């Protein structure tokens, strides 16, 4: 089993975005909005239209890449490039990757559904709850990043979604035994006088809980700064296993910290911190 990863901060909001061809009412700048529902939509499904180029003010350490809230079809592919110039790949090129890395039961997940959040109607801006996720083999320092979506046969005739690009922490020692992943259902149920139940169905969100007991001094500095920068509201990309693409897509998510757990001395030279994360919509 590979180690987990906390991806932060998201570098998309601080990037200058260009490339592709996007609908004026759903522009690339929507990708910089913290709200998950603010997506960008391409004018068509041509590969030249579904490109996102990000330019940072300075080179940053990058490793985790996501395409979120997307409508990508079963055969969709994507590619990540990092370079010293806009559109360049002299630093990193992932090659073509399948958007769908997880195995799934088609009786539960229907490709033809307009939205996969069960119970939610008219949700044209709430599509797949499973991000396209790629974790590079190491950290790369780059000023320019590019995400290409290749989904020319998409039945919608366009591609929509939003990017997430970050560095982050892959601890040398993985989380301790007892870590958990689950779905949280915030739906509300009321009981009428007759005894009948009435439900207000809300979208389910993923959650994860784990403890990092073997943090080094350098890793503790990252966690301490993560607390300061993100608090309980900022975006963090959770990846349960950097080597397992299925697990990344199935159990991973972009969420927030529910609380800021005290950083404890687990050993004389090692520190410990607990994390409780919940997916953001």
């Amino acid at each position: 089993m590979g180690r987990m990863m906390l991806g932060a901060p998201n570098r998309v909001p601080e990037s200058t975005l260009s490339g592709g061809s996007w609908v004026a009412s759903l522009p690339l700048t929507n990708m910089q909005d913290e709200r998950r529902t603010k997506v960008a939509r391409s004018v068509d499904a041509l590969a030249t239209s579904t490109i996102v180029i990000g330019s940072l003010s300075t080179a940053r350490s990058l490793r985790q890449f996501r395409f979120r809230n997307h409508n990508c079809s079963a055969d969709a592919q994507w590619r990540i490039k990092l370079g010293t110039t806009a559109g360049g790949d002299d630093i990193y090129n992932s090659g073509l990757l399948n958007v769908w890395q997880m195995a799934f039961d088609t009786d539960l997940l229907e490709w033809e559904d307009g939205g996969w959040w069960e119970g939610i109607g008219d949700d044209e801006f709430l599509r797949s709850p499973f991000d396209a996720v790629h974790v590079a083999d190491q950290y790369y320092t780059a000023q320019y990043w590019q995400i290409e979506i290749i989904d020319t046969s998409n039945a919608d005739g366009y591609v929509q979604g939003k990017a997430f690009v970050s560095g982050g922490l892959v601890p040398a020692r993985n989380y301790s035994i007892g870590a958990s992943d689950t779905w949280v259902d915030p739906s509300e149920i009321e009981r009428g006088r007759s005894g009948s139940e009435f439900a207000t169905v809300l979208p389910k969100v993923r959650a994860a809980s784990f403890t990092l007991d073997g943090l080094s001094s350098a890793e503790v500095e990252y966690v301490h700064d993560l607390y300061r920068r993100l608090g309980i509201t900022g975006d963090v990309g959770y990846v349960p296993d950097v080597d397992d693409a299925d697990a990344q897509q199935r159990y991973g998510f972009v969420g927030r910290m529910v609380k800021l757990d005290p950083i404890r001395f687990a050993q004389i030279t090692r520190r410990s911190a607990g994390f409780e994360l919940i997916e953001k919509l």
Side-chain angles (χ1 to χ4, degrees), residues 30 32-39 68-69 162 281:
N30 276 7
Q32 298 173 308
D33 193 293
E34 186 176 335
R35 290 168 293 180
R36 184 181 183 274
T37 51
K38 296 287 285 185
V39 298
R68 307 174 59 208
N69 199 10
K162 63 191 312 160
L281 295 184

Side-chain angles (χ1 to χ4, degrees), residues 7-246:
N10 180 13
R11 298 297 184 183
V12 175
E14 67 185 76
S15 301
T16 300
L17 303 182
S18 61
S21 184
W22 305 87
V23 175
S25 59
L26 295 169
L28 269 181
T29 51
N30 276 7
M31 293 192 179
Q32 298 173 308
D33 193 293
E34 186 176 335
R35 290 168 293 180
R36 184 181 183 274
T37 51
K38 296 287 285 185
V39 298
R41 177 182 291 177
S42 63
V43 297
D44 53 45
L46 296 176
T48 53
S49 299
T50 55
I51 295 173
V52 185
I53 300 172
S55 173
L56 292 158
S57 60
T58 188
R60 300 290 191 184
S61 177
L62 305 174
R63 188 172 181 180
Q64 185 179 145
F65 308 89
R66 294 175 177 268
F67 192 59
R68 307 174 59 208
N69 199 10
H70 61 79
N71 67 323
C72 291
S73 66
D75 298 322
Q77 294 183 302
W78 68 320
R79 180 185 1 243
I80 295 95
K81 295 179 181 178
L82 302 175
T84 54
T85 59
D89 65 350
D90 51 313
I91 294 177
Y92 180 72
N93 188 325
S94 68
L96 281 177
L97 306 166
N98 291 329
V99 165
W100 295 104
Q101 299 284 350
M102 58 182 277
F104 55 89
D105 186 339
T106 52
D107 289 335
L108 296 177
L109 299 178
E110 299 291 344
W111 286 110
E112 63 268 22
D113 285 353
W116 286 4
W117 290 113
E118 293 182 20
I120 305 301
D122 299 324
D123 56 343
E124 62 179 341
F125 295 145
L126 277 177
R127 290 301 187 93
S128 173
F130 301 103
D131 298 349
V133 189
H134 176 64
V135 179
D137 58 335
Q138 64 181 55
Y139 295 96
Y140 291 92
T141 301
Q143 185 172 356
Y144 299 94
W145 56 268
Q146 178 167 315
I147 292 177
E148 303 172 2
I149 307 295
I150 298 92
D151 195 12
T152 56
S153 60
N154 192 304
D156 291 331
Y158 58 81
V159 169
Q160 70 179 31
K162 63 191 312 160
F164 179 97
V165 176
S166 76
L169 172 66
V170 179
R173 299 187 183 184
N174 210 10
Y175 44 55
S176 302
I177 293 175
S180 65
D181 295 282
T182 189
W183 286 94
V184 175
D185 188 351
S187 300
E188 299 176 354
I189 298 177
E190 296 182 10
R191 187 182 297 276
R193 286 190 172 185
S194 67
S196 299
E197 292 184 338
F198 303 91
T200 300
V201 181
L202 300 174
K204 302 170 187 66
V205 295
R206 277 161 292 199
S209 178
F210 55 88
T211 301
L212 298 175
D213 278 326
L215 295 169
S216 66
S217 296
E219 291 169 344
V220 164
E221 290 176 2
Y222 176 85
V223 171
H224 193 265
D225 197 49
L226 190 74
Y227 284 3
R228 178 185 65 83
R229 297 185 67 170
L230 300 186
I232 61 171
T233 62
D235 288 351
V236 56
Y238 167 63
V239 167
D241 188 333
V242 296
D243 296 329
D244 188 335
D246 184 300

